[in-house]
Amino acid sequence: MLRLRTSDADFERRFARLVDDRRESDGDVARAVTDILHDVRARGDAALADYTQRLDRHTLASDTDWRIPAEDCRAAFEALDPTLREALELAADRITAYHRDQLPAERDFTDDAGVRLGARWSAVDAAGLYVPGGRAAYPSSLLMNAIPAKVAGVERLVVVTPTPNGQSNPLVLAAAHLAGVDEVWRVGGAQAIGALAYGTARIAPVDAVVGPGNAYVAEAKRQLYGVVGIDMVAGPSEILVIADGRNDPDWIAADLLSQAEHDPAAQSILITDDAAFADLVADAVDVQCAQLTTHRTARESWDAHGVIILVSDLAAESPVLANRLAAEHVELAVDDPEALFALLRHAGSVFLGRHTPEAVGDYVAGPNHVLPTGRRARFASGLSVLDFMKRTSFISLDAAALGRIGPAAIALAHAEGLPAHARSVELRLP
Amino acid sequence: MLRLRTSDADFERRFARLVDDRRESDGDVARAVTDILHDVRARGDAALADYTQRLDRHTLASDTDWRIPAEDCRAAFEALDPTLREALELAADRITAYHRDQLPAERDFTDDAGVRLGARWSAVDAAGLYVPGGRAAYPSSLLMNAIPAKVAGVERLVVVTPTPNGQSNPLVLAAAHLAGVDEVWRVGGAQAIGALAYGTARIAPVDAVVGPGNAYVAEAKRQLYGVVGIDMVAGPSEILVIADGRNDPDWIAADLLSQAEHDPAAQSILITDDAAFADLVADAVDVQCAQLTTHRTARESWDAHGVIILVSDLAAESPVLANRLAAEHVELAVDDPEALFALLRHAGSVFLGRHTPEAVGDYVAGPNHVLPTGRRARFASGLSVLDFMKRTSFISLDAAALGRIGPAAIALAHAEGLPAHARSVELRLP
């Protein structure tokens, strides 16, 4: 864990290094992914079967080797412990309600020049959702990715997920049933992303690919951006907690650890103006960490990437630092979180006040937990229904309207040296 | 020019080939761009000066070699012919009005569980806009890219543009003045995109990069996606005209040529149900093309990529074909364009009726002319203010609200094997 003080002489240099630290993958991954994608494009299902045998030790032969039937998902849902099923249903209901409110309005109006203008939104025909295997297979992620697609109106929603040694995760299947997923394919890695983008004999191509994954999956999405739509380039998760000294150190320590336990590359940062409180939080992190079943991951993350920044003036300094960090999650554990929030320009999601731990946002609050990481909140947003929709603008003129605005188009077309543009308007003028 | 009939036995095979034909760049470009970006990241301004000397034959030494002063842009605007200046102002006013209406609404509400939720939109701090040099330097493109950024509230808007042999385009400078561009740098190519993304000693980095360019520029944007936000991966322009036999063949021929004259790789497609009309259009294309100052480009595009598709039933067949093509521009030159428009799912922008040539959309209608190409209208939208903005979601709970939804979060966290997530909620429950 790194400790910084804004009053230190070398603070700016060390903070700048922190801001620039991306904790992300390198060129080797990119080259391997390029090869896999070429192979899937060329050989289709045969390539998928080869990679799945080698990487997941799962043989793709019969139909049920390839695909998990809808009945299995329903059965997994019905077998859930009732408390867990209700929790999943509450989460799904709240996520659905929040995302429904994101549906964009259509526009259709005629302006003073008599020109009818507008924009119509429509869903993509098909979307693919990557669900990691193993440790990172979260039913909550399935809901967060699938529900916006369904709310957007996507007709075909396809899950791809690796099933190492043939094992699938019943919680994920239950969530797939609840979210209304249409197909579940037992393929993972960059090869699964390639199959979604290019299509194979078995798997029809989709138009948009979303969902979390390892460095290979993230790189495959990046390389296929433009062939399909993608949600975003995602890196390791991160939290920034801005807390004054009047918090319970145990609460803040738990928040920092909730991020650290995700991934050894995850990052937890505390900004406070109280040195004694900072020490109490650091101690509480150590105590709590030892009690976690996830302590190895959490410890590794906190030791390698954890940061405590001591500032002199929380109100003045913390928004400036927060905007430079542009973190995925920002907690404002202070008396007047609104005042700080008003000064935040760049953040994926903000958690206001002492009773809003980030974990409620991961599961049940309603807003999406798929958020921009690695300073991408400077320009990117969390997942929404808009990631599964596209806008078609439209224009309609009659002869009179063309008479009003056409001459300006002709002047500009001639100035740009595009005579056919000008002619297409000139011919239609009276 | 290719002629197809849906009644031909091999139509499906030939149409599928047309749909899959991307007319885009290859791996050689990708490798060259990777090298240039590495170099700009490592050597900054020195790399920019080297590439600019070699590719643009322009020496970057003094401040005015690097940057075109604001006074020069204002002088270019004031020197415009009055007709042209009025046309540019009309275009800017109409583009501004249309894009203002795109500004997203803030959300802030408290739901039945007492949970306050919302989303706040904000502009990126800085945006970069690529403006090609030479033939493709269009003042209209500058307006279409710059105005949405300004309407979004971007504080720093930076233009990069190559000035081959030191020559800049006065029309583009005039448009930069009109649109309120803050900086104009005399660099182009992939190296300029690298400078915008990484920053150099002279050029501060930006958060989003937009604008058209050649294959190197497009590939640089693709490779830097995630380091900065980008508008989209753009390919050659295309138009699909759906026209019955009751159109003036000259009008439709001019529309097809207005796309063809942009670029030898541009594509113009006509779908009609009238074989005699198709012949008249083909003849008119030949006659008009010969008269154009752009005839070489238009001829090359029409010969290599032009298509006329004859269908038996325009109302039934044309929307199906149009949705598969997912074209950038779609003209509906029929009596009842609404009926066809209702069946279109995938199109960048639609031009309704016989008096709406696509060229009015290029210049003065108001909607953006930066639109998804190469079938990307299946999942992507035209440029809008949202490309320069990002959404920060927020969540605020008090103890009572946490008591209502917290237990479900705890159940899900335990099920996912994330005990610190559970603990961060448990500690705050009464």
Side-chain angles (χ1 to χ4, degrees):
Chain A
M1 186 260 292
L2 175 71
R3 282 184 187 251
L4 302 176
R5 284 173 182 265
T6 53
S7 55
D8 288 347
D10 64 348
F11 174 78
E12 173 52 32
R13 187 181 55 78
R14 298 177 77 192
F15 184 75
R17 196 191 298 155
L18 180 66
V19 166
D20 287 339
D21 174 22
R22 299 204 137 233
R23 298 168 290 130
E24 289 180 18
S25 69
D26 62 355
D28 288 346
V29 171
R31 279 184 291 275
V33 165
T34 301
D35 291 343
I36 293 170
L37 296 180
H38 275 295
D39 199 20
V40 170
R41 191 175 194 183
R43 295 198 302 128
D45 289 331
L48 289 182
D50 287 350
Y51 289 110
T52 302
Q53 187 70 57
R54 180 161 13 127
L55 301 170
D56 301 334
R57 301 160 306 279
H58 173 62
T59 306
L60 292 170
S62 70
D63 284 352
T64 52
D65 295 333
W66 280 90
R67 206 173 147 174
I68 295 175
E71 312 82 88
D72 291 13
C73 296
R74 192 178 53 240
F77 181 75
E78 286 166 359
L80 285 177
D81 165 90
T83 306
L84 194 53
R85 188 168 66 200
E86 282 163 29
L88 216 51
E89 286 172 333
L90 179 74
D93 288 347
R94 293 186 57 87
I95 296 165
T96 301
Y98 185 85
H99 287 79
R100 259 196 202 132
D101 211 34
Q102 289 176 338
L103 285 167
E106 311 273 294
R107 297 169 64 198
D108 190 346
F109 63 98
T110 300
D111 69 16
D112 293 346
V115 179
R116 183 175 155 214
L117 299 170
R120 205 174 64 181
W121 288 85
S122 55
V124 301
D125 286 342
L129 162 52
Y130 192 88
V131 177
R135 183 175 63 176
Y138 298 137
S140 60
S141 287
L142 193 140
L143 296 183
M144 288 288 184
N145 282 276
I147 289 172
K150 283 288 167 183
V151 170
V154 174
E155 285 177 11
R156 176 173 165 255
L157 178 57
V158 182
V159 161
V160 289
T161 187
T163 56
N165 298 309
Q167 299 299 303
S168 56
N169 181 326
L171 277 175
V172 166
L173 300 190
H177 171 77
L178 181 59
V181 167
D182 299 293
E183 303 168 17
V184 181
W185 295 91
R186 304 171 72 161
V187 290
Q191 59 274 19
I193 305 296
L196 289 173
Y198 296 127
T200 69
R202 283 187 182 262
I203 305 175
V206 303
D207 305 295
V209 175
V210 302
N214 63 18
Y216 289 80
V217 170
E219 176 62 20
K221 285 165 67 181
R222 209 189 60 74
Q223 291 191 17
L224 290 168
Y225 171 63
V227 178
V228 288
I230 70 169
D231 48 350
M232 66 184 72
V233 178
S237 199
E238 66 214 8
I239 192 170
L240 168 62
V241 180
I242 298 175
D244 60 30
R246 290 179 302 282
N247 286 283
D248 184 328
D250 270 332
W251 296 14
I252 302 302
D255 298 349
L256 296 169
L257 286 167
S258 75
Q259 207 58 220
E261 74 178 343
H262 267 300
D263 182 348
Q267 182 161 56
S268 304
I269 302 177
L270 169 65
I271 297 180
T272 184
D273 57 351
D274 185 325
F277 174 74
D279 290 340
L280 290 171
V281 172
D283 291 346
V285 164
D286 290 340
V287 171
Q288 287 186 36
C289 189
Q291 299 161 357
L292 297 173
T293 51
T294 52
H295 72 272
R296 284 180 70 139
T297 302
R299 188 81 249 168
E300 199 177 332
S301 160
W302 181 246
D303 287 350
H305 304 297
V307 186
I308 296 179
I309 302 175
L310 193 68
V311 297
S312 311
D313 182 337
L314 200 66
E317 292 176 275
S318 69
V320 176
L321 300 179
N323 284 332
R324 287 180 65 190
L325 290 166
E328 182 187 12
H329 306 106
V330 180
E331 281 187 15
L332 303 177
V334 295
D335 278 336
D336 183 9
E338 292 295 334
L340 281 183
F341 186 37
L343 299 172
L344 283 190
R345 291 178 58 84
H346 310 304
S349 192
V350 178
F351 303 81
L352 299 161
R354 305 189 198 281
H355 281 84
T356 314
E358 188 273 326
V360 297
D362 284 339
Y363 294 114
V364 292
N368 213 286
H369 80 196
V370 180
L371 295 164
T373 58
R375 294 185 65 234
R376 296 190 184 89
R378 290 175 295 126
F379 56 81
S381 309
L383 193 70
S384 79
V385 297
L386 297 186
D387 290 289
F388 301 97
M389 304 183 80
K390 65 272 182 351
R391 186 190 337 98
T392 298
S393 56
F394 59 89
I395 303 170
S396 177
L397 280 74
D398 56 18
L402 188 65
R404 284 178 209 110
I405 69 169
I410 293 168
L412 289 164
H414 281 307
E416 292 188 351
L418 295 171
H421 283 65
R423 182 169 211 147
S424 73
V425 179
E426 283 161 353
L427 286 171
R428 287 169 165 98
L429 290 181
Chain B
M1 186 259 293
L2 176 70
R3 284 187 186 246
L4 302 176
R5 286 173 180 265
T6 55
S7 56
D8 287 347
D10 64 347
F11 174 78
E12 174 53 32
R13 186 180 57 77
R14 298 178 76 191
F15 184 74
R17 196 191 299 157
L18 180 66
V19 166
D20 288 339
D21 174 22
R22 299 204 135 231
R23 297 167 292 128
E24 289 181 18
S25 69
D26 62 355
D28 288 345
V29 171
R31 279 185 290 276
V33 166
T34 301
D35 292 342
I36 293 170
L37 296 180
H38 276 295
D39 198 21
V40 170
R41 191 172 194 184
R43 297 198 300 129
D45 289 331
L48 290 182
D50 287 351
Y51 289 111
T52 302
Q53 186 71 60
R54 180 160 14 125
L55 300 171
D56 301 334
R57 299 160 308 281
H58 173 62
T59 305
L60 292 171
S62 69
D63 283 352
T64 51
D65 293 335
W66 280 91
R67 206 172 147 175
I68 295 174
E71 312 82 89
D72 291 13
C73 296
R74 191 178 54 241
F77 181 74
E78 285 166 359
L80 285 177
D81 166 89
T83 307
L84 194 54
R85 187 167 68 199
E86 280 163 30
L88 215 52
E89 285 171 333
L90 178 74
D93 289 346
R94 295 186 56 87
I95 297 165
T96 301
Y98 186 86
H99 287 78
R100 261 197 201 129
D101 211 34
Q102 289 176 336
L103 285 167
E106 310 274 294
R107 297 170 63 196
D108 189 345
F109 64 96
T110 301
D111 69 15
D112 294 345
V115 179
R116 184 176 155 214
L117 299 170
R120 205 173 65 179
W121 288 86
S122 55
V124 300
D125 286 342
L129 161 51
Y130 192 88
V131 177
R135 185 174 62 178
Y138 299 137
S140 61
S141 288
L142 193 141
L143 297 183
M144 288 288 183
N145 282 275
I147 289 173
K150 283 289 168 183
V151 170
V154 174
E155 286 177 10
R156 179 174 162 254
L157 179 56
V158 182
V159 161
V160 289
T161 187
T163 55
N165 298 308
Q167 297 300 305
S168 57
N169 181 326
L171 277 176
V172 166
L173 300 190
H177 171 77
L178 181 60
V181 167
D182 299 293
E183 302 168 18
V184 181
W185 295 91
R186 304 172 74 162
V187 291
Q191 58 274 18
I193 305 295
L196 290 173
Y198 296 127
T200 69
R202 284 187 182 262
I203 306 176
V206 303
D207 305 296
V209 175
V210 303
N214 64 18
Y216 288 80
V217 170
E219 176 62 21
K221 285 165 67 181
R222 209 189 61 75
Q223 291 191 17
L224 290 168
Y225 172 64
V227 177
V228 287
I230 69 169
D231 49 351
M232 66 186 68
V233 178
S237 199
E238 65 216 7
I239 192 170
L240 168 62
V241 180
I242 299 176
D244 60 30
R246 288 180 301 284
N247 286 282
D248 184 329
D250 270 331
W251 296 13
I252 302 302
D255 298 350
L256 296 169
L257 285 168
S258 76
Q259 209 58 220
E261 73 177 343
H262 267 300
D263 182 349
Q267 183 162 55
S268 304
I269 302 177
L270 169 65
I271 297 181
T272 184
D273 58 352
D274 184 325
F277 175 74
D279 290 339
L280 290 172
V281 171
D283 291 344
V285 165
D286 291 339
V287 170
Q288 287 186 34
C289 189
Q291 299 161 354
L292 298 173
T293 51
T294 53
H295 72 270
R296 284 179 70 139
T297 302
R299 188 82 248 168
E300 198 177 333
S301 160
W302 180 247
D303 287 350
H305 305 296
V307 187
I308 296 178
I309 302 176
L310 193 66
V311 298
S312 311
D313 183 336
L314 200 66
E317 292 176 274
S318 69
V320 176
L321 300 178
N323 285 331
R324 288 179 65 190
L325 290 166
E328 182 188 11
H329 307 105
V330 180
E331 280 187 14
L332 303 177
V334 296
D335 278 335
D336 183 10
E338 292 295 333
L340 281 183
F341 186 37
L343 299 172
L344 283 190
R345 292 178 58 85
H346 310 305
S349 192
V350 178
F351 303 81
L352 298 161
R354 305 190 198 278
H355 280 84
T356 314
E358 188 273 326
V360 297
D362 284 339
Y363 294 114
V364 292
N368 212 286
H369 80 197
V370 180
L371 296 163
T373 56
R375 293 185 65 233
R376 296 189 184 89
R378 289 174 297 126
F379 55 82
S381 309
L383 193 70
S384 79
V385 297
L386 297 185
D387 290 289
F388 301 97
M389 303 183 80
K390 63 267 183 350
R391 185 192 334 97
T392 298
S393 56
F394 60 89
I395 303 171
S396 176
L397 279 73
D398 57 18
L402 188 65
R404 286 180 206 109
I405 69 170
I410 293 168
L412 289 164
H414 282 307
E416 292 188 352
L418 295 171
H421 283 66
R423 183 169 210 147
S424 72
V425 180
E426 283 162 352
L427 287 171
R428 287 171 166 96
L429 289 182

